[in-house]
Amino acid sequence: MVCGWLSVLGLGKNKNSSPEVDLYKSLDSDKLPVHIAIIMDGNGRWATQRGLPRALGHRAGVDSLRDIVRTCSALGVGFLTVYAFSTENWKRPAEEVATLMDLLAEYLYKELNELNKNNVRVKTIGRIDELPVKSREALAMAEKETLRNTGLTLNLALNYGGRNEITEAVKQIGRDASAGKLNPDEIDENIISGYLYTAGIPDPDLLIRPSGEKRISNFLLWQVAYAEFWYSPVLWPDFRKEHLLEALVDYQNRQRRFGGLHQSKR
Ligand code: FPP
């Protein structure tokens, strides 16, 4: 198993020497997170530090996304949810919003072959119907063309906000209760989960936020109740598989108790 991963991750050539290989070798393939969520942050700062326009920071961020999708897929992670555009991001200058929307379409058309080759299925969460038509067409194309893939699900959070998601779920629960389709006394956490965009997807086990920020920023508010958080000062455009491996090793060394006691203390 370990040797197979080494070559898929492109680490095969320097098997015995690199820090990446050491990190990788300390991973337990049976304890990988099923669902990883990432707040892709720091594109603007990365560009500013280099005297470049912010748009080039976002473009460089696409390279990181490609590398992380490839790595998650090679490791056998089930779900990767990335925060690509929040409901608050509309407040940015129109030119930056347009750049992000263009990059999204460009990414989907350019990466389709590789996504299919790696058995990756593309899905979305968020108010997709409010996105520009070009973005919606690219998303519909990618979802349709990867529909039968059974490996990693790449979940793109677009025009997404956690509070908005919960508000919409509550409205729909209210409608279904009024229509007699749902008994209010039977509403439980599973039923609520089933009304969210992420219905049917397990909650994230690991939430990663690069760029030194330590906020949740309205991302997957309900779903991260028991997620392990991992922060990194690395800006998203510099984030690569070695950083993901570092996060995974750290995750595997944590004791997840879900509010209970560690086994040794029972
Ligand atoms: C936050 O960095 C990042 C975003 C708002 C957009 C994330 C988008 C990408 C990585 C590229 C395209 C995505 C797809 C799906 C192709 P920031 O701009 O807030 O950075 P800053 O805090 O340093 O200003």
Side-chain angles (χ1 to χ4, degrees):
M1 184 71 178
V2 165
C3 288
W5 274 0
L6 272 177
S7 58
V8 182
L9 290 171
L11 300 174
K13 283 180 225 110
N14 47 357
K15 255 181 212 167
N16 301 314
S17 53
S18 91
E20 262 177 66
V21 171
D22 291 343
L23 271 176
Y24 159 76
K25 280 183 176 164
S26 58
L27 273 186
D28 177 347
S29 59
D30 295 328
K31 279 174 62 185
L32 281 174
V34 173
H35 186 172
I36 299 175
I38 305 184
I39 301 177
M40 304 186 287
D41 195 12
N43 298 348
R45 274 163 285 167
W46 184 92
T48 306
Q49 282 172 7
R50 287 162 178 75
L52 298 170
R54 291 176 60 84
L56 290 187
H58 295 310
R59 186 165 281 282
V62 176
D63 295 335
S64 305
L65 179 62
R66 185 182 302 110
D67 192 56
I68 297 309
V69 169
R70 210 177 265 165
T71 306
C72 284
S73 167
L75 289 173
V77 171
F79 301 87
L80 172 66
T81 301
V82 291
Y83 210 1
F85 194 87
S86 75
T87 45
E88 289 73 36
N89 286 154
W90 296 110
K91 293 180 204 151
R92 295 189 177 207
E95 197 188 321
E96 183 167 341
V97 171
T99 296
L100 286 166
M101 294 301 153
D102 287 350
L103 277 177
L104 169 69
E106 190 183 313
Y107 169 78
L108 293 169
Y109 288 112
K110 269 200 190 155
E111 292 303 304
L112 184 66
N113 279 346
E114 161 137 353
L115 292 168
N116 274 328
K117 200 175 84 198
N118 291 330
N119 199 18
V120 178
R121 181 170 179 190
V122 176
K123 286 180 125 186
T124 57
I125 56 171
R127 302 178 76 147
I128 303 304
D129 53 324
E130 293 173 0
L131 295 179
V133 65
K134 203 170 134 188
S135 315
R136 281 186 276 133
E137 280 171 5
L139 289 165
M141 176 285 300
E143 288 190 275
K144 179 167 166 266
E145 297 295 329
T146 62
L147 186 66
R148 285 180 190 78
N149 293 342
T150 53
L152 175 73
T153 295
L154 170 62
N155 222 0
L156 299 170
L158 290 157
N159 194 17
Y160 174 87
R163 285 189 169 185
N164 175 259
E165 175 182 39
I166 294 169
T167 307
E168 291 304 316
V170 170
K171 279 191 205 161
Q172 192 55 43
I173 288 171
R175 285 186 210 109
D176 286 353
S178 307
K181 290 188 211 160
L182 187 65
N183 178 349
D185 292 325
E186 284 171 8
I187 296 172
D188 60 13
E189 292 183 9
N190 281 333
I191 289 186
I192 295 175
S193 293
Y195 278 82
L196 301 176
Y197 293 124
T198 47
I201 296 179
D203 287 342
D205 304 290
L206 174 63
L207 171 67
I208 295 175
R209 182 160 194 164
S211 92
E213 306 293 350
K214 298 186 176 79
R215 289 186 296 277
I216 191 69
S217 298
N218 204 12
F219 190 41
L220 301 174
L221 295 181
W222 173 274
Q223 297 89 336
V224 295
Y226 289 103
E228 296 292 328
F229 280 20
W230 192 79
Y231 303 108
S232 161
V234 173
L235 302 174
W236 177 249
D238 289 326
F239 198 94
R240 287 293 183 277
K241 74 174 154 251
E242 58 268 30
H243 306 109
L244 180 67
L245 292 175
E246 219 181 292
L248 291 174
V249 170
D250 190 71
Y251 166 84
Q252 293 196 332
N253 286 322
R254 302 206 192 161
Q255 299 288 347
R256 298 188 77 195
R257 301 200 302 266
F258 301 94
L261 287 181
H262 182 240
Q263 276 184 330
S264 64
K265 294 185 185 145
R266 276 185 198 153

